[in-house]
Amino acid sequence: MTGAAGSTPVVGRVPVLNAANALTALRLVLVPVFVVMVVVSAMTHPSWRIVACLIFAFASATDLVDGWIARRFGLVTSVGKVADPIADKALTGAALVVLSWYDRLPWWVTVVILVRELGVTLIRFWVIRHGVIAASRGGKAKTALQILAIVWYLLPLPAGLAAVGPWIMAAAVVVTVLTGFDYVARALRLRRRRIPDPRATPR
């Protein structure tokens, strides 16, 4: 749709209620459902552990789908930009906390990952008016490793396979910390690039 001749095309506003944001909201809703399933399982009942794992895996998958839908169909909104990382961190954080609560994961691992994730989220809001920092390959690897490690801990695997879990989580922690430092560096570069030097302003 266009206005008068030569005018700029009118772009419709993206509705907040759209498929991408609905999936993000669903992910948030599934967080307490997942926690309840883990509590019911007490990490000792195989069937309930599998149910909890499936809920976690499905909720994690919605993160990939909602991002693709938002970009593919132009449904990116300010609400989505804020809600999406919150939903991600809520799901991962809840999983780590319950695993530590049931002594399946050392608390220091949970603390390190949560501090990094919270810090990155705060930095994202700090620089969002200057631009969006695209997800790096390291960030994507971090997310994949975290999800894989959590799934591995949730599943009632035989002892031999279960022993692989700590190694996957160790890799996740290393990549999580390294990408955290990388994100801070990229955020600082973005702010320096966007904030004009007052000494260079014409008088």
Side-chain angles (χ1 to χ4, degrees), residues 91-176:
L91 179 63
T92 302
L96 294 171
V97 168
V98 292
L99 286 173
S100 292
W101 183 264
Y102 286 103
D103 295 324
R104 299 304 175 105
L105 185 67
W107 275 106
W108 71 264
V109 172
T110 295
V111 170
V112 167
I113 293 179
L114 290 185
V115 167
R116 183 274 188 195
E117 299 294 358
L118 178 60
V120 165
T121 299
L122 293 176
I123 291 173
R124 179 182 286 111
F125 294 150
W126 179 51
V127 302
I128 196 168
R129 63 192 180 93
H130 298 288
V132 177
I133 301 177
S136 65
R137 291 182 179 178
K140 294 176 181 178
K142 178 268 302 181
T143 300
L145 283 169
Q146 286 182 1
I147 293 173
L148 178 60
I150 291 171
V151 165
W152 211 278
Y153 274 91
L154 289 171
L155 286 174
L157 299 170
L161 284 175
V164 178
W167 292 99
I168 301 174
M169 185 60 78
V173 171
V174 170
V175 177
T176 296

Side-chain angles (χ1 to χ4, degrees), residues 10-182:
V10 178
V11 179
R13 294 181 59 185
V14 178
V16 173
L17 296 177
N18 60 57
N21 287 348
L23 284 174
T24 300
L26 175 61
R27 188 157 67 257
L28 278 169
V29 170
L30 286 175
V31 172
V33 178
F34 161 71
V35 171
V36 169
M37 290 300 100
V38 175
V39 172
V40 170
S41 77
M43 292 301 291
T44 58
H45 299 284
S47 297
W48 288 112
R49 287 179 64 180
I50 292 173
V51 171
C53 183
L54 290 175
I55 292 173
F56 175 81
F58 174 78
S60 298
T62 64
D63 183 34
L64 298 174
V65 179
D66 66 6
W68 179 83
I69 290 176
R71 292 187 297 271
R72 177 67 177 80
F73 298 100
L75 297 177
V76 177
T77 65
S78 297
V79 172
K81 290 179 181 178
V82 173
D84 186 70
I86 291 176
D88 297 343
K89 277 37 174 186
L91 179 63
T92 302
L96 294 171
V97 168
V98 292
L99 286 173
S100 292
W101 183 264
Y102 286 103
D103 295 324
R104 299 304 175 105
L105 185 67
W107 275 106
W108 71 264
V109 172
T110 295
V111 170
V112 167
I113 293 179
L114 290 185
V115 167
R116 183 274 188 195
E117 299 294 358
L118 178 60
V120 165
T121 299
L122 293 176
I123 291 173
R124 179 182 286 111
F125 294 150
W126 179 51
V127 302
I128 196 168
R129 63 192 180 93
H130 298 288
V132 177
I133 301 177
S136 65
R137 291 182 179 178
K140 294 176 181 178
K142 178 268 302 181
T143 300
L145 283 169
Q146 286 182 1
I147 293 173
L148 178 60
I150 291 171
V151 165
W152 211 278
Y153 274 91
L154 289 171
L155 286 174
L157 299 170
L161 284 175
V164 178
W167 292 99
I168 301 174
M169 185 60 78
V173 171
V174 170
V175 177
T176 296
V177 173
L178 292 178
T179 55
F181 286 124
D182 175 67

